[in-house]
Amino acid sequence: MPHILIVEDETIIRSALRRLLERNQYQVSEAGSVQEAQERFSIPTFDLIVSDLRLPGAPGTELIKLGQGTPVLIMTSYASLRSAVDSMKMGAVDYIAKPFDHDEMLQAVARILRDRQTAQSNPSERPAGKVANGSDKPGVDNSNGEIGIIGSCPPMQDLYGKIRKVAPTDSNVLIQGESGTGKELVARALHNLSKRAKAPMISVNCAAIPESLIESELFGHEKGAFTGASAGRAGLVEAADGGTLFLDEIGELPLEAQARLLRVLQEGEIRRVGSVQSQKVDVRLIAATHRDLKSLAKIGQFREDLFYRLHVIALKLPALRERGADVNEIANAFLARQSARVNRTDLKFAPDAEQAIRHYSWPGNVRELENAVERAVILCESPEISAELLGIDIELSDLEEDEFIGLAPHQGSTSNASHEPTEDLSLEDYFQHFVLEHQDHMTETELARKLGVSRKCLWERRQRLGIPRRKTGVTSEG
């Protein structure tokens, strides 16, 4: 069981993070400062250190030296983003912005521990450091060496060849593919194989940031630029200076932010919100979307000039259902990973499960497959995982029951008895009913909180079920 050290001076955050990690089969120790950690523990013996950047006394970056090779994941607020990037240059393996989504933290921890294990097994294949400000995508492995993606079907082999050709250039890249196919993995491969590999890669999901904040988050702002801007701060584009900026779901970027982004691509400079001065930045842009940007441009929902700036190189990721035997290879990789987390060495897929995995359409792609395998491993009481245990014959796709925390269909709104959900509704029906009934008087944040999912998860479900996000009505995301 991996042993993780948390160093955080805020008791509430430290305790919440400890509980989160312990629930996911990690052994956890904690300290409130670098000095306390030194006094209580032998720091190099841990598998991972998760530390706040700003601590009483010495900063969290001191643990990089004290850990003697132990990976250090730095936690920081957006206001300290530049310092976090600097910590990467000092040797931190990654950083995550606070407040963080629980899934984001778990994915970052799992990826770092996996990379550490790989590096220890194959010292010559030590992975390059990465920066993440979003969610890591499932499906990574060393099966394809420096590419780091599982699968060998012809479409993927063609994609690997294009990645190797494109990566050494500074050309803008547009990655296209359905949600859950692993577009961020392609972006990471492009970054890690480029001349910018030692610089930061900043990943941003454009759909996960409220429209009212997106320009400030991307381009920064000056003190007093708007209500609540008590101090100036750098944006994510500025933080990616010298490295790579990955904008996931760029089709959700508001038109005003698109105009600012176009200036970055055309002039190589940014201007913070509220500033009259511009500053130069050297950023390679990689964008991803599951939408048809060209069609959006024709109807005025996406800037045509930005589309052509982005469309220098286009890479298409096939859906999981189009990848043939790759799906079983990926499933077995997930099975090995999840089995290790629960200390099971006897698990394997039953023949009916292997057939189901191969022939199911996987509308949620690799992410749905990972969820199904994780659930099956947790619930399995025998050495063989059946197709029924995978649950892939139900109609919910990747709308997993455990994502609806504390809610059941009969707990819906009672404001209108004729529209009240019944016990017969599936979770998919309930989700659609709840969003349609409440989106006129709830913000996206409130909707996500009521449903017990993240904002990103809410957005993905909207896309899957064809429920457009309202552009009018409730606008406050407070």
Side-chain angles (χ1 to χ4, degrees):
M1 180 182 295
H3 194 181
I4 299 174
L5 172 64
I6 300 172
V7 185
E8 166 64 66
D9 60 318
E10 294 189 38
T11 305
I12 294 177
I13 295 177
R14 189 171 70 241
S15 298
L17 182 54
R18 186 196 70 242
R19 290 193 298 270
L20 173 67
L21 294 174
E22 287 178 341
R23 285 198 304 269
N24 285 270
Q25 290 79 51
Y26 295 113
Q27 181 183 352
V28 180
S29 298
E30 57 182 277
S33 67
V34 174
Q35 182 178 354
E36 181 184 350
Q38 283 183 280
E39 292 173 350
R40 295 182 56 193
F41 309 110
S42 174
I43 295 177
T45 63
F46 289 94
D47 297 295
L48 171 64
I49 301 168
V50 181
S51 175
D52 192 14
L53 179 60
R54 296 184 176 180
L55 294 166
T61 49
E62 282 295 306
L63 293 162
I64 298 171
K65 178 177 61 177
L66 296 173
Q68 299 178 21
T70 300
V72 177
L73 171 62
I74 292 292
M75 298 184 293
T76 183
S77 65
Y78 277 122
S80 305
L81 195 56
R82 169 55 64 184
S83 297
V85 173
D86 290 341
S87 74
M88 290 288 295
K89 297 176 181 178
M90 297 172 64
V93 70
D94 207 339
Y95 79 78
I96 189 167
K98 295 194 295 186
F100 50 80
D101 181 84
H102 283 189
D103 287 340
E104 293 175 9
M105 174 60 77
L106 291 174
Q107 289 164 354
V109 167
R111 185 187 67 248
I112 294 168
L113 290 172
R114 184 171 63 245
D115 288 347
R116 173 180 168 84
Q117 185 176 20
T118 299
Q120 290 175 337
S121 301
N122 304 285
S124 62
E125 296 184 6
R126 184 176 300 275
K130 296 183 282 290
V131 176
N133 183 41
S135 59
D136 190 24
K137 299 297 189 294
V140 67
D141 190 49
N142 283 322
S143 302
N144 289 288
E146 76 280 15
I147 299 295
I149 303 175
I150 299 173
S152 55
C153 67
M156 293 303 291
Q157 292 293 346
D158 180 62
L159 177 64
Y160 301 150
K162 291 178 179 177
I163 290 174
R164 292 185 179 97
K165 289 181 180 179
V166 173
T169 74
D170 271 338
S171 296
N172 299 327
V173 180
L174 179 63
I175 306 169
Q176 298 168 306
E178 296 179 6
S179 293
T181 49
K183 295 186 287 293
E184 186 169 345
L185 287 178
V186 175
R188 289 189 181 280
L190 290 168
H191 174 74
N192 290 338
L193 294 176
S194 74
K195 60 186 179 183
R196 300 171 179 265
K198 294 183 179 180
M201 171 178 160
I202 303 292
S203 299
V204 186
N205 186 292
C206 298
I209 303 176
E211 288 188 26
S212 59
L213 298 177
I214 188 70
E215 288 190 67
S216 172
E217 296 295 340
L218 285 176
F219 307 104
H221 64 257
E222 296 295 342
K223 180 179 179 181
F226 50 84
T227 303
S230 57
R233 64 169 177 150
L236 298 172
V237 176
E238 191 175 339
D241 189 19
T244 302
L245 177 67
F246 173 54
L247 296 181
D248 197 4
E249 297 303 349
I250 195 170
E252 307 308 311
L253 200 63
L255 290 171
E256 295 82 357
Q258 291 179 30
R260 286 182 176 269
L261 182 61
L262 185 64
R263 183 177 181 85
V264 174
L265 300 181
Q266 289 178 332
E267 309 295 336
E269 61 184 28
I270 61 168
R271 188 167 63 234
R272 294 184 182 183
V273 176
S275 175
V276 296
Q277 294 184 335
S278 299
Q279 61 185 92
K280 289 291 185 180
V281 289
D282 174 22
V283 172
R284 184 194 192 177
L285 180 65
I286 300 175
T289 184
H290 75 286
R291 306 184 69 183
D292 185 345
L293 296 186
K294 191 171 185 179
S295 296
L296 291 179
K298 288 181 179 179
I299 60 176
Q301 293 186 9
F302 197 85
R303 291 184 64 109
E304 190 172 25
D305 46 5
L306 178 58
F307 168 71
Y308 287 113
R309 281 282 180 176
L310 294 174
H311 203 261
V312 177
I313 302 290
L315 300 179
K316 174 71 174 178
L317 254 174
L320 188 56
R321 60 184 172 274
E322 300 169 353
R323 293 180 57 180
D326 281 2
V327 62
N328 293 94
E329 183 181 354
I330 297 170
N332 282 311
F334 286 146
L335 177 59
R337 182 187 308 172
Q338 296 300 332
S339 296
R341 290 184 63 180
V342 298
N343 295 318
R344 293 281 299 270
T345 59
D346 59 333
L347 293 177
K348 65 178 181 179
F349 293 117
D352 68 325
E354 292 182 347
Q355 287 292 322
I357 289 169
R358 177 66 179 82
H359 296 292
Y360 181 57
S361 62
W362 297 110
N365 291 295
V366 180
R367 187 181 295 112
E368 180 182 6
L369 174 59
E370 184 176 38
N371 289 343
V373 173
E374 180 178 1
R375 179 179 59 247
V377 167
I378 292 172
L379 299 177
C380 188
E381 296 180 353
S382 66
E384 285 198 341
I385 295 175
S386 65
E388 181 180 4
L389 197 56
L390 285 169
I392 57 177
D393 57 336
I394 59 177
E395 297 180 355
L396 298 181
S397 297
D398 61 346
L399 191 61
E400 305 300 347
E401 184 170 359
D402 59 4
E403 290 178 345
F404 288 81
I405 302 172
L407 285 177
H410 68 278
Q411 292 174 304
S413 169
T414 58
S415 60
N416 186 336
S418 65
H419 294 287
E420 184 175 355
T422 70
E423 292 286 353
D424 296 330
L425 284 180
S426 70
L427 287 176
E428 182 176 302
D429 293 332
Y430 177 65
F431 177 91
Q432 188 165 8
H433 174 97
F434 188 91
V435 172
L436 289 174
E437 182 167 334
H438 297 286
Q439 65 180 354
D440 288 336
H441 58 272
M442 282 188 182
T443 65
E444 293 296 286
T445 299
E446 290 168 337
L447 281 171
R449 186 179 300 118
K450 289 291 185 182
L451 288 167
V453 299
S454 66
R455 281 178 53 90
K456 180 182 177 185
C457 177
L458 171 61
W459 177 84
E460 289 176 342
R461 297 301 181 274
R462 280 184 176 278
Q463 299 299 310
R464 184 70 46 71
L465 299 175
I467 310 173
R469 178 174 171 178
R470 293 289 175 89
K471 297 296 183 182
T472 59
V474 180
T475 59
S476 172
E477 289 289 345

